[in-house]
Amino acid sequence: MEITYANFIGSYPSLNSCPKSKQPEYAFIGRSNVGKSSLLNMLTGRKGLAKVSNTPGKTQTINYFQINETWHLVDLPGYGYARISKTKRFAWEKMISNYLQNRPNLVCAFVLLDAYIPPQEIDVEFINWMGQIHVPYVIVYTKTDRIRGGEEGRDKNIKAIQNELLKYWNELPQQFISSSNDKTGRDEILSFINDLNEQIKHEQK
Ligand SMILES: Nc1nc2c(ncn2[C@@H]2O[C@H](COP(=O)(O)OP(=O)(O)OP(=O)(O)O)[C@@H](O)[C@H]2O)c(=O)[nH]1
Ligand SMILES: [Mg+2]
């Protein structure tokens, strides 16, 4: 799928304030700093579309993007941001769970996991929660360009994450290997989205 149009629609503090839409929607979620905004920019081919930062906790609201006039990408604020108050964390959980469970046109969530670092407890907890709330999701391994040792090094890191998740689940959802630096995974992710969009269009006829 070619991206011919990508534009920022707006930032919203809660599900209730999000614009109503019947277009298929895909959301990026994952630990703070995992690379959600970077992935969005890489996929759309628009460098500054979503704000990227070295400081975790950059994205704090639900950020909507219009893609090709027919579907949406949503950049969600990350979890696991250490310097956050309990009140704010609670508000985040409420906002995210409300969005994930009640957004009617949300087709699939992309849970991003940093493949450069060992499996993180908070990611495992989040994936376990995703499984419990029955929201369709796939996994995207990010920052694979940072891993040393070529394909072997990359596979070793990913295997470690998979093994951790497989302690809780018999099988894992679809997974994508990505790097926003060298555009790894772009074609696979866009074609996955395209297939779902086509399927939905067909069902609506
Ligand atoms: N090497 C490398 N660095 C990356 C990649 N993706 C993101 N980064 C870097 O990781 C940092 C965080 O990236 P963001 O895209 O802002 O992460 P985020 O998940 O949106 O973070 P929050 O909005 O704070 O939740 C930035 O310094 C990026 O340049 C990648 O694929 N490879
Ligand atoms: Mg961000």
Side-chain angles (χ1 to χ4, degrees):
M1 167 172 45
E2 242 189 277
I3 307 289
T4 50
Y5 178 89
N7 213 358
F8 176 62
I9 300 176
S11 297
Y12 308 93
S14 66
L15 172 67
N16 288 346
S17 57
C18 289
K20 298 233 170 345
S21 172
K22 288 207 160 94
Q23 296 187 0
E25 186 164 301
Y26 303 87
F28 292 170
I29 181 107
R31 212 161 24 78
S32 203
N33 217 43
V34 70
K36 299 174 291 295
S37 301
S38 303
L39 181 66
L40 196 143
N41 293 341
M42 184 271 268
L43 291 178
T44 56
R46 296 265 310 269
K47 259 198 168 155
L49 193 56
K51 287 198 183 71
V52 170
S53 167
N54 266 324
T55 324
K58 179 74 192 167
T59 311
Q60 299 253 351
T61 45
I62 303 177
N63 295 306
Y64 268 88
F65 298 87
Q66 178 67 51
I67 315 294
N68 284 1
E69 327 247 343
T70 47
W71 55 285
H72 298 301
L73 275 178
V74 178
D75 190 15
L76 294 170
Y79 53 81
Y81 172 42
R83 273 180 287 156
I84 192 172
S85 67
K86 264 196 184 155
T87 324
K88 267 201 174 163
R89 184 168 307 168
F90 183 69
W92 180 92
E93 282 171 10
K94 238 176 98 177
M95 167 170 100
I96 296 298
S97 64
N98 193 20
Y99 169 80
L100 289 174
Q101 297 185 84
N102 300 314
R103 181 75 176 165
N105 55 325
L106 176 67
V107 177
C108 181
F110 287 72
V111 179
L112 276 60
L113 301 176
D114 190 337
Y116 178 65
I117 56 172
Q120 303 288 302
E121 202 178 322
I122 193 159
D123 289 327
V124 177
E125 276 171 21
F126 186 76
I127 298 253
N128 287 350
W129 179 71
M130 285 297 284
Q132 281 165 19
I133 63 172
H134 300 293
V135 172
Y137 77 96
V138 293
I139 289 174
V140 179
Y141 298 109
T142 64
K143 306 192 187 182
T144 55
D145 61 281
R146 293 184 72 188
I147 306 168
R148 287 202 202 139
E151 214 166 294
E152 213 173 291
R154 186 181 80 184
D155 290 350
K156 198 173 140 225
N157 283 22
I158 289 173
K159 196 97 207 126
I161 300 175
Q162 287 171 332
N163 285 341
E164 201 52 42
L165 296 173
L166 287 168
K167 286 183 184 167
Y168 304 90
W169 300 95
N170 287 329
E171 50 183 346
L172 298 177
Q174 189 157 349
Q175 295 149 77
F176 298 92
I177 289 167
S178 84
S179 158
S180 296
N181 277 20
D182 60 24
K183 296 196 174 155
T184 301
R186 185 173 188 270
D187 293 347
E188 290 81 0
I189 294 171
L190 286 180
S191 116
F192 172 78
I193 292 175
N194 191 49
D195 287 351
L196 285 171
N197 285 348
E198 288 299 316
Q199 202 178 314
I200 290 160
K201 206 159 83 185
H202 194 77
E203 283 166 8
Q204 281 170 345
K205 270 185 193 158

